[in-house]
Amino acid sequence: MDKLTDFITYYCELSTELLESVQQKFVFRTVAADTILLKKGQVCGELAINLHGAFRLFALDESGKDTTTWLAFEDTLVIEPASFLTRQPSRYYIQALEKSEMAIIKHEDLQQLYTAIPGFQAFGRKLMEEVLVGIMCRATSLLLDTPQQRYDRLLESPMYMQRVPLKYLASFIGITPTSLSRLRGRKRL
């Protein structure tokens, strides 16, 4: 509960009583590595806070090509934002990369809390602002940065190299696994 408390209070200020009301709407879940939490065609009905673990958001094209579009580590959201916000079927999958622990709130419960506790609306607004900025930075990087620059940015956070399989990292930075091997080889020289 402490990590959930810290997460919520980072984004909004609530009295102890209101914070307890919010926390009561969350359930805690542990999932095994490789668990698929959301499949293409499903509506993302839950907002999950990653308390411990690693997740990826990915898409499969018609040929079955797997493209990792987002990686989530501790103290971040595990969500497919377009589906969650619009209530439309997702085009993506969410997968746990390792045994992970989450605090989860249903979309309906979150909406009820926004209505019942106006100060809690800051939580959702600030979270979605953070998600939007992250998405924009990622899109800009894929459009303007070289694969080498994207790889170098991954190296700044060792958790990527330590916790994400190389085939997913290659996809995440928009290159083939063979190209990633070349980039890694150049760094060793």
Side-chain angles (χ1 to χ4, degrees):
M1 196 73 103
D2 288 337
K3 284 190 86 163
L4 177 59
T5 300
D6 291 345
F7 191 90
I8 293 168
T9 57
Y10 178 81
Y11 292 99
C12 68
E13 293 182 30
L14 297 174
S15 68
T16 303
E17 179 182 320
L18 291 176
L19 181 59
E20 287 175 6
S21 295
V22 168
Q23 289 175 320
Q24 289 174 3
K25 294 292 186 176
F26 282 84
V27 295
F28 295 88
R29 187 183 311 158
T30 300
V31 296
D34 296 323
T35 300
I36 299 292
L37 302 171
L38 179 73
K39 294 179 181 177
K40 179 180 178 179
Q42 295 176 329
V43 173
C44 183
E46 300 174 330
L47 180 145
I49 299 166
N50 182 3
L51 302 175
H52 178 76
F55 296 86
R56 74 182 184 118
L57 182 73
F58 70 98
L60 293 174
D61 68 13
E62 291 176 8
S63 70
K65 180 184 174 202
D66 176 323
T67 303
T68 298
T69 58
W70 197 259
L71 295 166
F73 299 101
E74 286 79 10
D75 301 320
T76 59
L77 290 184
V78 179
I79 189 173
E80 200 278 81
S83 176
F84 185 80
L85 293 172
T86 66
R87 315 307 303 137
Q88 298 297 311
S90 177
R91 296 178 63 188
Y92 298 92
Y93 296 79
I94 297 176
Q95 177 186 27
L97 295 176
E98 57 192 32
K99 182 179 176 183
S100 302
E101 298 171 20
M102 304 174 295
I104 299 168
I105 187 167
K106 292 180 182 175
H107 183 274
E108 299 79 26
D109 290 337
L110 189 62
Q111 299 308 311
Q112 288 172 358
L113 286 172
Y114 291 156
T115 301
I117 306 172
F120 187 62
Q121 291 176 6
F123 173 83
R125 180 180 52 80
K126 290 177 183 178
L127 273 178
M128 289 306 128
E129 287 171 355
E130 196 172 270
V131 167
L132 177 62
V133 168
I135 290 169
M136 291 303 300
C137 289
R138 171 129 173 85
T140 301
S141 177
L142 287 170
L143 289 170
L144 301 177
D145 295 342
T146 66
Q148 182 70 56
Q149 290 169 319
R150 291 192 296 271
Y151 175 70
D152 289 345
R153 199 167 299 113
L154 287 183
L155 292 177
E156 293 171 9
S157 298
M159 66 189 152
Y160 287 97
M161 302 308 286
Q162 295 166 356
R163 298 171 66 185
V164 179
L166 293 178
K167 65 183 177 181
Y168 300 150
L169 284 179
S171 171
F172 182 65
I173 62 174
I175 61 176
T176 65
T178 304
S179 296
L180 179 58
S181 293
R182 278 195 294 270
L183 288 176
R184 292 180 73 217
R186 282 188 215 146
K187 283 291 179 186
R188 290 187 200 125
L189 299 178

